[in-house]
Amino acid sequence: MADTLQSEAGAAPLIADHLALDMLNTEAGVGDAQQDFWWSSHAVLDWLARCGIDAGQPSGPAADALLRDAKVLRAAARDLITRRMEGKQGDPALLNRYLAAVRSTPALVWDEVQPHLVHQGGAPSPARALGVLAEAVATLLAEGDFTLVRQCEHPECVLWFYDRTKSHRRRWCSMALCGNRHKAAQFRARNRPVA
């Protein structure tokens, strides 16, 4: 399963339709097939860049801290999201520490169509980047419709997604990955010769 999850660049797929759930999907598989797509600080930086989040260019101890802190945030997010799905209360203290790094100032931007408010932050940094991820988790926990937060129905897949389809009947992390594998397995079962 882990081989089919990798994109061409060996990175975690961005298929969850929500940044917080895509972060959870950077760790996939079960047992011996478990894979952590955040295997180095460079892998975390590449993933953040794919998500449009600038973490600057940390090196040395700052890069090591990014990898460690990203994994701690991911574990805290997984715990909080799982608890929310189960209707249990979670402790947001750790998440709030990451949120504290997201300091922004509102600014009015007037484009060709109309004015709108944007939030501008400080210089890109690992702490700010992880704060952006923490904010996505907090927004999901506080405002998300948890009837639409799901895990893939394929028995060998643990990826999460936010079902934004019109009918809210999405079953697979990706139709190209698990949906097609399920359809192919059903086809083989229907067309198996009777002994």
Side-chain angles (χ1 to χ4, degrees), residues 20-187:
L21 300 174
D22 275 325
M23 178 178 58
L24 297 187
N25 291 344
T26 61
E27 186 174 46
V30 292
D32 292 339
Q34 187 170 11
Q35 181 169 4
D36 189 341
F37 292 102
W38 285 353
W39 52 273
S40 71
S41 60
H42 293 295
V44 176
L45 288 169
D46 289 345
W47 184 85
L48 288 167
R50 287 177 55 220
C51 294
I53 302 169
D54 189 352
Q57 294 298 323
S59 61
D64 295 338
L66 170 64
L67 178 61
R68 180 193 67 239
D69 291 343
K71 289 184 175 193
V72 168
L73 174 59
R74 180 179 61 193
R78 185 178 309 282
D79 178 63
L80 290 169
I81 291 169
T82 301
R83 286 180 177 280
R84 177 78 161 79
M85 297 240 351
E86 295 170 350
K88 297 177 182 174
Q89 185 175 0
D91 181 1
L94 183 58
L95 187 67
N96 286 335
R97 285 200 339 239
Y98 287 94
L99 286 170
V102 183
R103 303 207 190 283
S104 63
T105 305
L108 185 65
V109 176
W110 205 307
D111 61 21
E112 295 175 7
V113 179
Q114 66 184 29
H116 56 277
L117 194 61
V118 297
H119 290 274
Q120 298 175 336
S125 70
R128 180 157 174 66
L130 295 181
V132 170
L133 291 179
E135 188 173 13
V137 173
T139 301
L140 176 66
L141 290 168
E143 300 171 5
D145 179 350
F146 267 72
T147 63
L148 304 178
V149 174
R150 304 198 179 115
Q151 280 190 294
C152 182
E153 289 186 17
H154 194 283
E156 296 174 19
C157 185
V158 296
L159 296 183
W160 297 72
F161 61 88
Y162 196 91
D163 185 2
R164 295 185 194 269
T165 62
K166 189 174 183 177
S167 65
H168 300 303
R169 293 185 180 179
R170 182 175 168 187
R171 299 174 57 198
W172 316 108
C173 62
S174 167
M175 195 61 199
L177 296 174
C178 292
N180 283 342
R181 290 179 33 192
H182 175 75
K183 283 184 174 183
Q186 284 191 329
F187 177 80

